[in-house]
């Protein structure tokens, strides 16, 4: 199995690059943002609860997200590998992921961290907010709150994965295809 994490601040291009990586390497996509929005659109209790956090620009509680990822993985037992997009976002999520993958007899091969500075990210998200209808892209204070959450809770994961020798950073500014090509070069170094 080939398991990758695409990592980076809100709007860094995790979803954009995931789509291209999936097409190239035939991996199963686990985007916790997409799963949470699907729950909200279906009007489930989990979705409604999650939406309260998302609309404030806060992270959804770990146990909710971890349970959702576990269920998704269990429904894809014949997967060639997974790309984790927007997950993990906290140390407890990363620890839970390591344990879940162990149950599948596998592990994370590489973490790809997209580097983009905050002002560019705010621009991208506000622009997307004009058309996406996403509650969390609508106003600058919510967007800035997402960065604070990222700095406080998600950034420590860089160190977590660097200690495992798995963290790689990639410039996330420039043409989408150029960034993709740089990501592929890194993936190809570990692909068996
Ligand atoms: P996500 O859905 O994961 O959203 P994201 O971080 O905003 O987006 P991403 O980095 O994928 O950016 P994209 O490619 O779309 O999370 C939303 C919320 O859900 C979180 O804030 C949180 O509340 C909750 N949540 C999700 N996972 C969670 C977890 N594990 N734990 C707790 N809570 C969780 O790109 C953004 C924009 O930039 C697009 O418009 C795109 O077209 C543009 N773009 C991309 N690449 C570009 C480039 N190279 N140049 C110019 N523009 C580019």
């Amino acid at each position: 199995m080939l398991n990758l994490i695409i990592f980076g601040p809100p709007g860094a291009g995790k979803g954009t690059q995931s789509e291209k990586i999936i097409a190239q390497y035939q991996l199963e996509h686990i985007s916790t943002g997409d799963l949470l929005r699907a729950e909200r659109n279906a009007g489930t209790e989990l979705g409604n609860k999650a939406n309260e956090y998302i609309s404030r620009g806060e992270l959804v509680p770990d146990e909710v997200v971890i349970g959702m990822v576990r269920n998704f993985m269990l429904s894809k037992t014949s997967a060639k590998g997974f790309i984790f997009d927007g997950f993990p976002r906290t140390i407890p999520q990363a620890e839970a992921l390591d344990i879940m993958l162990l149950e599948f007899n596998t592990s994370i091969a590489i973490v790809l961290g997209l580097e983009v500075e905050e002002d560019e990210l705010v621009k991208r998200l506000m622009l997307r907010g004009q058309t996406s209808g996403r509650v969390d892209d609508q106003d600058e204070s919510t967007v800035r709150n997402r960065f604070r959450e990222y700095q406080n809770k998600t950034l420590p994961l860089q160190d977590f994965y660097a200690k495992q020798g798995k963290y790689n950073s990639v410039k996330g500014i420039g043409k989408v295809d150029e960034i993709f090509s740089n990501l592929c070069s890194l993936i190809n170094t570990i692909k068996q």
Side-chain angles (χ1 to χ4, degrees):
M1 269 183 132
L2 174 66
N3 302 304
L4 321 174
I5 293 173
I6 186 122
F7 182 85
K14 301 183 292 289
T16 304
Q17 295 296 334
S18 290
E19 279 179 29
K20 299 179 81 67
I21 294 171
I22 291 152
Q24 178 85 11
Y25 298 99
Q26 290 86 49
L27 304 176
E28 284 290 343
H29 187 202
I30 302 194
S31 160
T32 41
D34 287 351
L35 290 174
L36 291 167
R37 283 185 289 275
E39 292 280 347
R40 188 222 27 222
N41 293 343
T44 66
E45 197 183 326
L46 185 157
N48 291 335
K49 191 83 210 140
N51 200 43
E52 290 173 23
Y53 293 89
I54 293 172
S55 60
R56 292 194 296 260
E58 293 170 11
L59 292 183
V60 175
D62 287 336
E63 60 276 14
V64 173
V65 181
I66 292 167
M68 207 176 58
V69 170
R70 170 182 289 281
N71 289 340
F72 185 88
M73 287 175 71
L74 288 172
S75 73
K76 303 282 175 192
T77 45
S78 55
K80 286 170 68 179
F82 293 100
I83 178 161
F84 295 93
D85 162 6
F87 180 88
R89 265 175 154 101
T90 63
I91 297 280
Q93 290 182 20
E95 290 169 345
L97 177 61
D98 279 349
I99 294 168
M100 283 191 264
L101 288 171
L102 214 59
E103 288 168 21
F104 277 68
N105 249 328
T106 185
S107 60
I108 291 297
I110 191 166
V111 179
L112 304 162
L114 293 169
E115 306 275 343
V116 183
E117 60 266 14
E118 185 168 324
D119 285 346
E120 164 72 13
L121 295 168
V122 173
K123 258 194 266 162
R124 287 185 189 180
L125 293 175
M126 300 297 290
L127 190 69
R128 182 172 69 183
Q130 292 170 14
T131 53
S132 69
R134 276 180 53 167
V135 286
D136 53 346
D137 288 346
Q138 300 296 324
D139 71 272
E140 191 166 334
S141 71
T142 308
V143 168
R144 298 264 178 208
N145 201 31
R146 289 164 66 191
F147 293 122
R148 275 195 294 279
E149 288 279 84
Y150 174 79
Q151 296 285 344
N152 293 337
K153 298 178 181 166
T154 307
L155 208 52
L157 291 177
Q158 274 187 3
D159 208 37
F160 180 91
Y161 287 112
K163 283 191 181 131
Q164 295 185 9
K166 294 177 179 172
Y167 190 80
N168 293 267
S169 93
V170 175
K171 193 168 147 248
I173 293 190
K175 292 206 170 70
V176 168
D177 282 339
E178 278 167 18
I179 299 166
F180 175 59
S181 159
N182 292 334
L183 293 172
C184 289
S185 301
L186 282 168
I187 297 169
N188 292 339
T189 62
I190 50 102
K191 197 171 177 292
Q192 295 110 6

